[in-house]
């Protein structure tokens, strides 16, 4: 008997991240930022800005010969810190509604990068990296295959993936990246709301906690599946709360090959 999953995933984000596109910041630069943050935070905690800055905000010396940030130096440190942050970690860009193209099916697609490779045809196997988020409810991450370098494969037109993935990928070329918004008022494009249709009844994790979805892509971690199931199962939510967002990168197209069984 299928066990009910309650609660939401532990991975939370206040904004929709674009992990497939943005590279991780170099470690050295992150360490510099961390040190600068600590220095400025220490100065604030000790009350140095108020008590030990002269009238012009210049640096002053303590009795124990340790230099102390004045207002001017503190502001320069913060400015440098923000500059490092802006180059080290590229924050996701907010996409405007006008940037998306609404297809006749109802899904909204934003073309982030044009591919130059093959365009898939029905019956082809497509290999993609994907990141998914519960855009309409707290922006929680469902999964991101690029972190684990475990692409998702499915046969185009074979009924193995949710309809939104089929529609998005069939218009792509290898190497391309799209952002897809699946409106909550179009449940036929996403995962079934009915649990009997959503799950196969199989367990696909060694800890016997993750149930297999009938249609991919399948979240690999329990937290991601719980976040997704919460917005699909919670009948108190409005349709817009069930809106999902996917970033999809088409890695390869295999002509007319079969798809290995994936959880």
């Amino acid at each position: 008997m299928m066990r009910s999953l309650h609660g939401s995933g532990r991975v939370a984000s206040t904004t929709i991240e674009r992990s497939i596109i943005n590279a991780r910041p170099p470690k050295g630069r992150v360490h510099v930022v961390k040190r600068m943050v600590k220095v400025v935070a220490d100065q604030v905690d000790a009350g140095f800005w108020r008590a030990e800055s002269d009238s012009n905000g210049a640096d002053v010396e303590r009795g124990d010969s340790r230099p102390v940030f004045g207002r001017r130096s503190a502001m320069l440190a913060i400015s440098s810190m923000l500059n490092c942050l802006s180059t080290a970690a590229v924050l996701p860009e907010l996409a405007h509604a006008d940037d998306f193209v609404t297809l006749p099916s109802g899904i909204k697609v934003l073309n982030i990068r044009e591919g130059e490779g093959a365009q898939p045809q029905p019956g082809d196997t497509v290999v993609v990296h994907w990141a998914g988020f519960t855009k309409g409810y707290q922006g929680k991450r469902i999964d991101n295959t690029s972190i684990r370098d475990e692409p998702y494969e499915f046969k185009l037109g074979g009924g193995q993936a949710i309809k939104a993935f089929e529609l998005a990928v069939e218009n792509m070329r290898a190497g391309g990246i799209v952002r897809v918004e699946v409106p909550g008022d179009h449940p036929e494009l996403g995962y079934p709301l009915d649990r009997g249709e959503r799950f196969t009844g199989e367990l696909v994790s060694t800890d016997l906690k993750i149930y297999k979805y009938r249609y991919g892509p399948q979240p690999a971690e329990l937290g991601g599946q719980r976040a997704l199931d919460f917005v699909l199962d919670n009948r108190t939510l409005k349709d817009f709360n069930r809106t999902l967002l996917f970033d999809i990168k088409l890695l390869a197209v295999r002509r007319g090959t079969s798809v290995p069984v994936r959880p």
Side-chain angles (χ1 to χ4, degrees), residues 40-87:
V40 175
D42 289 344
Q43 299 292 343
V44 175
D45 291 342
F48 289 154
W49 289 4
R50 294 190 305 271
E52 302 197 56
S53 294
D54 65 11
S55 59
N56 295 320
D59 294 349
V60 296
E61 295 288 333
R62 290 172 55 94
D64 56 7
S65 300
R66 288 183 296 168
V68 176
F69 275 173
R71 288 190 302 272
R72 183 180 301 126
S73 294
M75 293 305 295
L76 289 173
I78 292 174
S79 176
S80 299
M81 177 185 67
L82 292 177
N83 287 336
C84 287
L85 282 172
S86 65
T87 55

Side-chain angles (χ1 to χ4, degrees), residues 153-226:
E153 300 180 8
F154 66 95
K155 188 173 184 178
L156 191 63
Q160 299 172 342
I162 59 175
K163 193 66 175 176
F165 258 62
E166 295 260 5
L167 294 171
V169 172
E170 71 181 10
N171 292 308
M172 298 178 65
R173 290 185 176 275
I177 300 174
V178 297
R179 174 164 292 175
V180 181
E181 183 176 305
V182 186
D185 57 356
H186 285 273
E188 73 280 1
L189 298 174
Y191 300 91
L193 297 180
D194 182 87
R195 294 179 67 89
E197 297 180 12
R198 191 186 320 154
F199 297 103
T200 64
E202 303 174 60
L203 287 163
V204 293
S205 62
T206 55
D207 57 5
L208 303 181
K209 292 182 178 180
I210 300 180
Y211 286 97
K212 183 177 180 180
Y213 282 174
R214 194 176 305 277
Y215 308 102
Q218 168 83 43
E221 298 180 354
L222 181 61
Q225 188 175 82
R226 281 182 169 173

Side-chain angles (χ1 to χ4, degrees), residues 32 63 92 174:
V32 171

